[in-house]
Each structure stands twice: as structure tokens, then as C-alpha cells.
């Protein structure tokens, strides 16, 4: 017998958080999120609840937990995009259609009670959370920033009447040829000199946050505002992201370009991959895990692309190539093998075309689904 229960007790919360760790135990491609970050969803003061509300469900079969799902009413998103949608997220299940059907039924019933007309996902509270269902690339190590799932999830979801809304693709980016890099360098030098742009480097992240933190978040908001699923920043979210940056970011992988008025024109953030560092800890920051993270930051073999943005004022100036040139240079540093792009919308032609300057392999695809209620 299968029973689906709304998560209310401390034990049910623990079951919800631990289920994917048990489901993917010893899976060589799964990378858990930080456990302390996931726990925040059950804090009534979690900053996302300023603009959202959510519900969480566990599924049990013969007393054993076999699945979970969350549904989010993201009011800021609905207002921005003029939608009546609930997002589903954190769906995990054993390969059992009945379990999946009951979980989605509970999420959809809740969405109807909120007066919503559609359910969409996997999407989190914002695009700074893990999103999209992996549908290609099951034999690839997940990045820390994105979620891994088994191949049968697609069948379980589509059998519930969900259809494609958008796809994201992910690439491995390898170093450009010496000839290409020199060509880009010549172009960048001309652009920088012509328009008075300046590339900034820093000794520590505190210096970056102090001098350019507000400009950075404002530019991220403006750069990504038209992209699918984006939600405006709130102040407490900015503070939370800054905490994460201090843990994961090294100043070496932060590049800012300012104009002659010292206003931010473009930025690029990369993260030394910590996927292998956190795999075996279940996302817990144990002392051995922290040591592995610090080693990964100092001597990475893989870097994950976080964000690239250009001020609308300079979209056609070519300044973005200053950031791409820095990525080319990263790939000649130390023992770095390649850069993971993370999610790029498949119809974002600008970013897709830019990767043509690099040797690259499209190795993963993720999908967001939608269903009318």
C-alpha cells in the first residue's frame, strides 16, 4: 500500500531531505547539494517565503519511504510573467509509476486549491536553485550546481501528461587553438582601448563584494530578466548568495570589466568544481569534506561556468569577448581539463554561437515540463 503524506513532523522533514541521499547512494554521477542549504526549506523564516509558499510530500510503501515532491507557488514569478503556475521541484522516486502518479496528484491538487492553471518544472524558488530534468547525459558527473536523476524519471513524468516547455543544454568546453586565442586577444585589445574598458582582478572576494556587489546583482537582474524562469532578487537572497560565493568562489575565477566611468560593463564567474569533494559526504560539511573543497579550489581539474553577463548599454560593443578570452586563459591554467557550461537555453543563440570559438562537446540536456490543470 502506498501512502502520500504532507511533510509536517521533524522526522518527515528528515525523511524528505535524506531520501535522495539513500536513493543515489554509491551512484558515481550524483552530487548532493549542501545539506545545510537544503534544511533551510523547512525554516519558516526562509527568505524565499517572502514571495512564495510551498508544500512538501513524502510517499511511503509498506512503511518505507519511496518518493518525494515539493510544489511551490512563486508569486513574484507569476506576477512578472503574468502566469497562474505552480512549480514542482525536488521530485525523486523509485521506478514505480504508481508512486509517481500519487505524488504528482497531490502536487496538482494543491496547485488547483491555490487557483492555479498550470504546473511546471522541475523549477525551484528561483533560477539560482537546481532546475530541469536530466534527459541526456546519464553517464556524466553532475556539476555541484545542478541535479542528477535516473533516466526513468522522464517516463514517470511524461506518463502523467507533462509536455516539454523548454530544454537547456550543457557543454564541456576545451581550450581554443593558439591561433584562435591570439585572434580573440587582438580583437579584445582593440575593443578595450577604443571604448576605455578595463579588466579588474582582485585579491579576495570581500574586496569584490564591497566595491562591486550592488552593481553585480543589479546587472545580473537586468541581464537575465528576459530568460525563462527568472525571478527578481530580494535583499535576503543577495546576502545568501554572497555567503555561498565566499565558500565556493576563488577571486582568480571572477572577472569584472568596467567602463571609463568605473561602471560594471560585463562579468564572468567560474567555480572550481567541488563535485567530487562533496560526493561521499552526503552534502555535509565535515572536516575531510572542507579540506577536499579547499584543495579543489586551489588545484581544480574542472571549472564550472557560473554566470556571464553584459550591460545592455554594451551588448553590441564586443566587450563580452573580454570575458570569453579569460575563459580561454583559464583553460591553460594548471591541470584544468575543461570547463562545464552548466545550463544554457537551447534557443539562446547568442551564447550557443559563442561556444563555437572553443572545442566543445554537448554532453547533457535538461528539460522543463508543463501541464494544464
Amino acid at each position: 500500500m502506498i501512502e502520500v503524506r504532507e511533510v509536517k513532523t521533524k522526522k518527515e522533514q528528515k525523511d524528505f531531505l535524506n531520501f535522495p541521499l539513500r536513493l543515489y547512494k554509491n551512484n558515481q554521477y550524483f552530487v548532493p547539494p549542501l545539506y545545510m542549504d537544503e534544511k533551510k526549506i523547512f525554516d519558516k523564516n526562509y527568505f524565499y517565503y517572502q514571495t512564495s509558499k510551498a508544500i512538501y510530500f513524502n510517499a511511503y510503501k509498506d512503511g518505507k519511504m519511496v518518493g518525494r515532491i515539493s510544489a511551490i507557488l512563486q508569486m513574484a514569478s507569476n506576477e512578472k510573467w503574468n502566469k497562474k503556475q505552480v512549480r514542482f521541484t525536488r521530485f525523486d522516486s523509485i521506478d514505480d509509476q504508481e508512486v509517481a502518479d500519487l505524488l504528482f496528484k497531490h502536487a496538482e491538487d494543491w496547485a488547483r486549491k491555490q487557483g492555479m492553471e498550470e504546473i511546471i518544472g522541475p523549477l525551484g524558488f528561483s533560477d539560482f536553485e537546481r532546475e530541469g530534468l536530466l534527459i541526456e547525459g546519464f553517464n556524466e558527473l553532475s556539476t555541484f550546481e545542478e541535479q542528477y536523476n535516473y533516466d526513468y524519471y522522464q517516463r514517470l513524468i511524461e506518463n502523467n501528461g507533462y509536455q516539454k516547455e523548454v530544454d537547456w543544454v550543457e557543454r564541456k568546453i576545451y581550450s581554443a587553438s593558439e591561433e584562435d586565442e591570439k585572434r580573440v586577444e587582438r580583437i579584445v585589445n582593440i575593443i578595450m582601448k577604443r571604448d576605455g574598458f578595463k579588466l579588474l582582478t582582485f585579491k579576495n572576494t570581500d574586496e569584490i563584494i564591497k566595491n562591486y556587489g550592488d552593481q553585480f546583482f543589479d546587472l545580473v537582474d537586468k541581464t537575465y530578466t528576459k530568460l525563462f524562469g527568472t525571478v527578481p532578487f530580494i535583499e535576503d537572497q543577495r546576502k545568501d548568495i554572497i555567503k555561498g560565493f565566499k565558500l565556493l568562489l576563488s577571486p582568480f575565477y571572477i572577472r569584472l570589466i568596467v567602463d571609463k566611468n568605473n561602471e560594471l560593463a560585463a562579468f564572468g564567474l567560474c567555480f572550481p568544481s567541488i563535485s567530487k569533494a562533496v560526493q561521499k559526504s552526503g552534502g555535509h560539511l565535515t572536516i575531510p569534506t572542507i579540506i577536499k573543497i579547499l584543495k579543489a579550489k586551489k588545484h581544480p581539474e574542472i571549472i564550472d561556468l557560473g554566470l556571464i553577463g553584459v550591460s545592455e548599454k554594451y551588448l553590441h560593443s564586443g566587450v563580452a569577448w573580454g570575458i570569453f578570452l579569460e575563459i580561454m586563459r583559464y583553460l591553460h591554467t594548471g591541470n584544468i581539463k575543461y570547463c562545464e557550461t552548466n545550463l544554457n537555453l537551447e534557443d539562446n543563440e547568442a551564447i550557443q554561437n559563442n561556444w563555437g570559438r572553443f572545442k566543445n562537446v554537448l554532453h547533457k540536456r535538461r528539460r522543463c515540463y508543463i501541464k494544464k490543470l
Side-chain angles (χ1 to χ4, degrees):
M1 179 182 175
I2 300 170
E3 178 190 10
V4 175
R5 297 201 300 260
E6 180 184 347
V7 174
K8 292 182 178 179
T9 69
K10 291 292 184 182
K11 181 183 182 305
E12 289 166 345
Q13 291 175 6
K14 190 174 181 180
D15 285 347
F16 187 94
L17 296 172
N18 287 337
F19 178 69
L21 304 180
R22 180 161 54 83
L23 186 66
Y24 290 94
K25 187 176 182 180
N26 298 323
N27 183 290
Q28 61 183 311
Y29 309 113
F30 173 77
V31 176
L34 291 182
Y35 199 84
M36 65 181 186
D37 287 340
E38 282 294 278
K39 283 178 65 176
K40 294 175 185 175
I41 62 176
F42 294 119
D43 181 348
K44 65 180 181 179
N45 295 317
Y46 191 30
F47 60 84
Y48 277 124
Y49 294 138
Q50 296 173 30
T51 59
S52 311
K53 58 181 177 178
I55 194 167
Y56 304 89
F57 295 104
N58 290 342
Y60 300 88
K61 187 173 186 178
D62 300 325
K64 181 180 179 181
M65 187 165 172
V66 290
R68 68 172 195 168
I69 199 169
S70 173
I72 299 170
L73 177 55
Q74 181 29 293
M75 281 89 80
S77 175
N78 282 348
E79 181 178 353
K80 174 183 176 180
W81 299 103
N82 193 27
K83 299 286 187 180
K84 289 188 174 183
Q85 294 179 336
V86 155
R87 301 173 168 205
F88 77 84
T89 183
R90 294 172 173 83
F91 166 70
D92 289 291
S93 174
I94 63 170
D95 189 2
D96 186 317
Q97 190 66 54
E98 187 179 2
V99 171
D101 292 351
L102 286 171
L103 284 167
F104 278 103
K105 181 181 183 303
H106 279 72
E108 291 163 14
D109 286 347
W110 184 80
R112 292 186 186 96
K113 289 178 181 176
Q114 310 309 309
M116 297 298 105
E117 298 173 350
E118 298 173 323
I119 184 165
I120 189 169
L123 289 175
F125 289 96
S126 77
D127 52 311
F128 274 78
E129 286 207 312
R130 296 179 172 197
E131 57 190 359
L133 186 84
L134 187 67
I135 61 171
E136 294 176 13
F138 299 103
N139 295 326
E140 299 282 350
L141 177 66
S142 181
T143 63
F144 172 72
E145 297 82 18
E146 300 304 335
Q147 184 69 15
Y148 181 83
N149 57 261
Y150 289 124
D151 57 358
Y152 63 79
Y153 279 36
Q154 183 175 3
R155 167 170 43 83
L156 297 181
I157 291 173
E158 292 180 359
N159 283 348
N160 269 279
Y162 287 80
Q163 298 179 337
K164 174 185 172 180
E165 177 71 348
V166 298
D167 275 9
W168 296 271
V169 294
E170 301 175 55
R171 298 175 189 269
K172 289 181 180 178
I173 305 298
Y174 298 90
S175 57
S177 68
E178 186 177 345
E179 181 182 352
D180 265 351
E181 186 170 332
K182 286 182 177 179
R183 186 185 301 117
V184 171
E185 186 174 6
R186 287 194 297 270
I187 294 169
V188 168
N189 288 339
I190 292 170
I191 292 168
M192 301 287 274
K193 185 176 180 180
R194 180 194 68 199
D195 295 326
F197 294 124
K198 183 181 179 182
L199 176 69
L200 303 181
T201 57
F202 302 89
K203 294 181 179 179
N204 57 69
T205 52
D206 287 334
E207 182 185 1
I208 301 169
I209 292 162
K210 178 182 177 181
N211 294 313
Y212 293 97
D214 289 338
Q215 285 194 54
F216 168 77
F217 283 110
D218 290 344
L219 188 51
V220 171
D221 252 347
K222 292 174 183 176
T223 302
Y224 289 83
T225 187
K226 295 179 182 179
L227 294 184
F228 175 82
T230 54
V231 180
F233 283 114
I234 55 177
E235 186 59 33
D236 286 346
Q237 183 186 5
R238 293 187 181 204
K239 293 176 182 177
D240 189 74
I241 291 170
I242 287 171
K243 288 180 183 177
F245 280 179
K246 288 183 176 181
L247 172 67
L248 301 176
L249 275 178
S250 167
F252 180 73
Y253 296 105
I254 302 173
R255 291 294 185 266
L256 305 182
I257 297 177
V258 296
D259 65 14
K260 56 188 175 184
N261 298 315
N262 203 36
E263 292 182 359
L264 194 58
F267 64 83
L269 302 183
C270 289
F271 302 91
S273 174
I274 63 167
S275 293
K276 293 182 178 179
V278 301
Q279 261 190 321
K280 293 184 179 180
S281 72
H284 294 279
L285 286 180
T286 61
I287 291 176
T289 301
I290 292 172
I291 292 171
K292 289 178 183 177
I293 289 174
L294 293 174
K295 286 182 178 178
K297 286 176 66 175
K298 193 171 183 180
H299 302 291
E301 293 185 353
I302 303 166
I303 55 174
D304 299 341
L305 182 60
L307 296 167
I308 293 177
V310 178
S311 169
E312 189 173 9
K313 182 179 178 181
Y314 298 115
L315 272 178
H316 305 293
S317 70
V319 69
W321 278 106
I323 301 300
F324 287 109
L325 176 61
E326 292 302 301
I327 295 174
M328 289 178 177
R329 289 169 172 168
Y330 290 155
L331 292 168
H332 291 306
T333 304
N335 297 315
I336 292 175
K337 298 175 181 177
Y338 58 86
C339 172
E340 285 255 11
T341 66
N342 277 315
L343 276 65
N344 299 151
L345 286 163
E346 65 176 350
D347 60 358
N348 186 341
E349 293 182 3
I351 192 67
Q352 300 296 348
N353 291 338
N354 284 331
W355 298 132
R357 289 284 184 181
F358 299 79
K359 177 184 175 184
N360 71 86
V361 176
L362 195 161
H363 66 306
K364 295 176 190 171
R365 180 178 292 269
R366 296 179 189 275
R367 180 160 295 171
C368 178
Y369 289 92
I370 192 168
K371 179 180 179 179
K372 300 288 184 182
L373 295 174

